[in-house]
Amino acid sequence: MALLEAVDVSKTFRNDGRETPVLQDIRLRIGQGEFISVMGPSGSGKSTLLLTLSGLDRATSGRVLLKGRDLTNLDEDALAVVRLHHVGFVFQHFHLMRNLTLLDNIVLPAWLAGGRDRERILRRAEELMEMTGIARLADRDISQVSGGQLQRAAICRALINDPDILFGDEPTGALNSQSARDIMRLLADINRRGTAILLVTHDPRVASCAERVLFMLDGRLAAEKRLGRPASGSDDEQRERESELTEWLAGLGF
Ligand SMILES: Nc1ncnc2c1ncn2[C@@H]1O[C@H](COP(=O)(O)OP(=O)(O)OP(=O)(O)O)[C@@H](O)[C@H]1O
Ligand SMILES: [Mg+2]
């Protein structure tokens, strides 16, 4: 069974009586632990795809199945529970809460998910902060750390409930190139530990970390490139993957 499956998903926005089709007949299967990137022109529907597949927003028609469970039939409360337990999000602008420390931001979804074991939750948060290299910043206010550090905290928050899949919408988009590289290494590492990733990005270097790259055009999945999983993870291999992807994108006129 696929981890996540989209069956003929379409989405239309209605504003002032006008209808804008934004997703059209999306068919997609994401396996357990897969790492997939989504590229495509601005306005092609990438963010909408992520919101719709993750249960943050609803399809107009079609079905979204997470571990075989149809999200399109769930009411708001049930959907919120699914999101809290099975899905993590990382955005370009970190969406952390002001007036909370990094640690409090990270553990918040665990309390919201009804976690009662305070010690276990704090241990898990500590583990994640160690992994992402921000353990010593636990008590800092979010205004007192860098963008790269905020994104690490956002990643910890997204992972606190051990989701099956992590959705990222341009998570490196607001970072300088060194921080972006560090965040990508971290995401690749998280994926190797078993979490599936669906990542929207404009950056071929970032996209080429994935095993499959989808290309969106006018609300459709127009093309797919299979790069396979990196073998060695060496810089040479990464450069080769990136140039293979860039060539493919050029062939698509992108
Ligand atoms: N709430 C909304 N109401 C009406 N139209 C919307 C809404 N949200 C998005 N759209 C439209 O849907 C289309 C796809 O938007 P989306 O944000 O998914 O594109 P994107 O591929 O993520 O673009 P970008 O690369 O610029 O982030 C755009 O034409 C956008 O204007
Ligand atoms: Mg977008």
Side-chain angles (χ1 to χ4, degrees):
M1 179 176 47
L3 171 63
L4 189 90
E5 188 170 4
V7 185
D8 299 333
V9 167
S10 296
K11 181 154 183 76
T12 301
F13 286 110
R14 288 190 182 80
N15 281 331
D16 309 326
R18 280 210 336 220
E19 298 204 346
T20 319
V22 176
L23 298 178
Q24 300 188 60
D25 302 322
I26 300 287
R27 279 174 176 252
L28 177 63
R29 286 172 71 93
I30 302 176
Q32 304 272 357
E34 264 195 305
F35 187 166
I36 302 178
S37 299
V38 183
M39 302 189 79
S42 181
S44 58
K46 304 179 298 295
S47 295
T48 308
L49 177 73
L50 242 56
L51 295 175
T52 309
L53 294 186
S54 61
L56 267 179
D57 202 350
R58 286 175 187 279
T60 309
S61 65
R63 294 185 303 149
V64 177
L65 306 167
L66 181 65
K67 291 174 143 176
R69 188 164 173 208
D70 191 349
L71 302 187
T72 39
N73 293 333
L74 300 182
D75 64 25
E76 283 307 319
D77 290 349
L79 204 52
V81 170
V82 169
R83 283 199 304 263
L84 266 174
H85 289 273
H86 298 288
V87 172
F89 302 90
V90 193
F91 303 97
Q92 178 173 4
H93 303 288
F94 322 108
H95 296 295
L96 294 164
M97 306 270 284
R98 279 178 222 280
N99 308 318
L100 290 184
T101 63
L102 285 195
L103 177 64
D104 287 339
N105 265 286
I106 290 166
V107 296
L108 189 59
W111 306 140
L112 291 176
R116 298 271 179 268
D117 188 343
R118 189 184 147 80
E119 286 308 313
R120 197 193 60 76
I121 290 168
L122 288 175
R123 265 202 314 281
R124 176 67 180 143
E126 211 166 280
E127 210 173 271
L128 289 167
M129 294 180 90
E130 286 289 344
M131 179 180 86
T132 54
I134 54 169
R136 70 197 162 79
L137 305 175
D139 297 326
R140 292 266 186 101
D141 189 85
I142 70 162
S143 61
Q144 300 168 327
V145 299
S146 73
Q149 290 163 342
L150 282 177
Q151 195 57 294
R152 286 156 196 273
I155 289 171
C156 292
R157 177 189 54 184
L159 295 177
I160 190 79
N161 292 332
D162 293 316
D164 300 299
I165 181 164
L166 184 63
F167 292 90
D169 196 351
E170 298 275 3
T172 59
L175 304 178
N176 66 38
S177 59
Q178 182 58 49
S179 295
R181 264 197 297 280
D182 292 345
I183 291 294
M184 279 321 295
R185 271 202 208 98
L186 182 59
L187 291 178
D189 194 33
I190 287 162
N191 175 250
R192 274 193 295 275
R193 294 165 191 237
T195 311
I197 297 182
L198 187 65
L199 183 73
V200 167
T201 178
H202 284 109
D203 183 346
R205 173 176 294 174
V206 169
S208 62
C209 296
E211 55 196 293
R212 295 163 64 190
V213 183
L214 310 176
F215 186 73
M216 277 201 89
L217 195 62
D218 297 335
R220 296 179 190 275
L221 289 178
E224 171 169 349
K225 173 82 179 163
R226 285 187 183 261
L227 292 171
R229 291 184 80 83
S232 65
S234 70
D235 289 349
D236 277 351
E237 184 191 32
Q238 195 45 47
R239 267 190 295 276
E240 247 168 63
R241 293 168 68 87
E242 190 184 333
S243 64
E244 194 182 339
L245 179 62
T246 310
E247 214 170 283
W248 179 72
L249 291 168
L252 292 169
F254 188 54

